Amino acid sequence: MPPILRINLAAVEANARVIVDWFAAYGVEVYGVTKAALGNPRIGSAMLAGGCQGLADSRWENLRRLREAGITAPLMLIRTPALSEVEAVVRWADLSVNTEPVVLKALDQAAGKAHTRHRIILMVEAGDLREGKELAELLDLVDLCQSLPNLELAGIGCNMGCLSTSGPSATSQGILQQAVALVEGRLEKKLAIVSGGNSGLLYREGLLTLSAAVTQVRVGEALLLGKDPVEEQFLPTLRQDGFVLEAEVIEVGTKQSPEGDGAVGQTQVVSALGRQDLGAGSLVVPEDMVLLGVSSDHLVLRWMGGDGASSQRMPPRVGERVKFLPDYEALVGLMTSPFVTKTFVKA
């Protein structure tokens, strides 16, 4: 049988409820990020049932999937649109994050043809070094948005802890605060949206840095996996059983050390799973096993359950299934892989 990813919607909804409550104490709304779930409508609906005010994704195709499934909540594109995508973005996204003047002009033209107005969030570089413009360039983008009749400048945002390994900080939030002051000064009014970050805000010190100007956050990893992406730690009071992977054992045997040093043989367990399914991700493996390596289509574990005179446990047999917890990158791979069966479990 192929690997099975078992999805517990009750866990996703419960995590959404906790996270929404955490941010509500700061007056901040939460958009659930569905990109790791490929815009699955059932997962998106669980996020909304938990209190998320909208959904966000980096692919317009996923937003279309959500909308065509009947979801009416606001949908946000959280990757700057490609020029070749502007018509689809205007059709399926209520608002999108942007950084490039040429793209803004193309969105304006596409919105005009569609007889609609498209809402824009301008992204500010706050230290992640992924998307976002420096403060010196921001006001030119603001002026451009104001001059385009089919666009509405809804707000500004920043990203932290995605490309850079460092999480949110007082410095990064300070840059966002400066950007808010600049833009609101130019507009002579308050911004409707200040999108201040992602799951990284939920690491040990993240919420302590949250700017008072922030009105919105975009949360995916913590909501789906109960984990923060900065320190890669499971978060207390959140559930980690939203996504559980099962993979079949295809070989069990004792093998000698490859160095030929005469070491006692180790029991290895080979599972039918590989990089083609996991991408660049990794797994939390059972306590009685250690992950030795992953090739394109094999996952190799060392079974430790037999160590110690008192142990009576036996290694899994060929044909049995081993359970794992994926990290965020592995979840992306598993949800994308055509070789992994996705199934929903009852609460």
Side-chain angles (χ1 to χ4, degrees):
M1 289 182 64
I4 298 176
L5 185 64
R6 301 194 184 277
I7 304 167
N8 190 328
L9 295 176
V12 175
E13 181 179 338
N15 284 351
R17 202 170 302 281
V18 172
I19 291 170
V20 166
D21 285 347
W22 282 347
F23 281 107
Y26 297 86
V28 174
E29 67 177 15
V30 176
Y31 269 50
V33 177
T34 60
K35 62 182 180 180
L38 269 67
N40 185 282
R42 296 182 68 179
I43 295 172
S45 295
M47 294 177 176
L48 294 171
C52 290
Q53 287 84 1
L55 299 176
D57 206 291
S58 59
R59 315 271 178 164
W60 68 262
E61 294 91 341
N62 290 342
L63 297 180
R64 178 180 63 184
R65 184 182 183 190
L66 292 165
R67 190 65 85 208
E68 289 183 338
I71 289 176
T72 59
L75 300 181
M76 174 167 49
L77 184 73
I78 53 173
R79 184 174 68 181
T80 299
L83 278 173
S84 58
E85 298 175 337
V86 292
E87 292 184 358
V89 171
V90 164
R91 180 175 181 183
W92 300 110
D94 297 299
L95 66 165
S96 62
V97 303
N98 282 269
T99 60
E100 287 298 316
V102 65
V103 176
L104 290 169
K105 293 175 183 177
L107 284 169
D108 177 66
Q109 292 179 355
K113 291 179 182 178
H115 304 289
T116 188
R117 294 194 81 205
H118 185 69
R119 304 181 76 203
I120 300 294
I121 294 178
L122 297 176
M123 296 298 282
V124 180
E125 175 55 62
D128 189 59
L129 301 180
R130 197 177 71 176
E131 80 275 40
K133 292 296 189 181
E134 298 289 341
L135 291 178
E137 303 172 89
L138 186 58
L139 290 183
D140 287 340
L141 291 177
V142 170
D143 292 341
L144 176 60
C145 282
Q146 292 294 93
S147 72
L148 297 172
N150 304 301
L151 299 186
E152 176 189 342
L153 179 56
I156 63 172
C158 69
N159 189 62
M160 292 164 286
C162 282
L163 185 63
S164 169
T165 57
S166 60
S169 65
T171 299
S172 61
Q173 289 286 295
I175 293 171
L176 181 62
Q177 185 75 48
Q178 292 179 57
V180 170
L182 279 173
V183 176
E184 290 184 344
R186 177 61 62 92
L187 298 176
E188 297 183 342
K189 65 177 182 180
K190 290 189 70 66
L191 290 165
I193 298 173
V194 178
S195 192
N198 49 32
S199 293
L201 286 163
L202 294 172
Y203 90 111
R204 181 177 44 183
E205 301 173 358
L207 283 176
L208 298 177
T209 71
L210 187 67
S211 167
V214 172
T215 66
Q216 179 205 84
V217 291
R218 315 168 305 272
V219 180
E221 183 166 354
L223 198 157
L224 296 169
L225 301 178
K227 188 177 181 183
D228 89 77
V230 177
E231 295 183 333
E232 297 189 353
Q233 298 295 317
F234 289 127
L235 292 161
T237 75
L238 295 185
R239 292 177 59 169
Q240 285 80 48
D241 61 337
F243 297 82
V244 178
L245 174 66
E246 297 181 6
E248 187 172 347
V249 174
I250 57 174
E251 179 184 315
V252 180
T254 301
K255 300 187 179 183
Q256 300 299 321
S257 168
E259 283 76 25
D261 55 9
V264 177
Q266 60 189 26
T267 300
Q268 286 191 186
V269 176
V270 181
S271 187
L273 187 74
R275 285 287 167 219
Q276 196 163 8
D277 309 300
L278 298 173
S282 61
L283 301 170
V284 176
V285 305
E287 291 183 355
D288 56 1
M289 297 187 189
V290 174
L291 180 63
L292 294 181
V294 187
S295 68
S296 60
D297 48 17
H298 293 76
L299 185 140
V300 183
L301 304 144
R302 176 186 298 163
W303 180 67
M304 308 296 288
D307 291 357
S310 62
S311 175
Q312 299 297 315
R313 298 197 61 181
M314 299 295 292
R317 294 175 296 180
V318 170
E320 292 183 355
R321 306 183 77 85
V322 178
K323 294 183 178 181
F324 308 92
L325 294 180
D327 68 3
Y328 192 72
E329 289 75 16
L331 179 61
V332 171
L334 293 166
M335 289 295 295
T336 305
S337 174
F339 305 110
V340 177
T341 299
K342 291 81 175 175
T343 185
F344 293 91
V345 301
K346 293 182 179 180

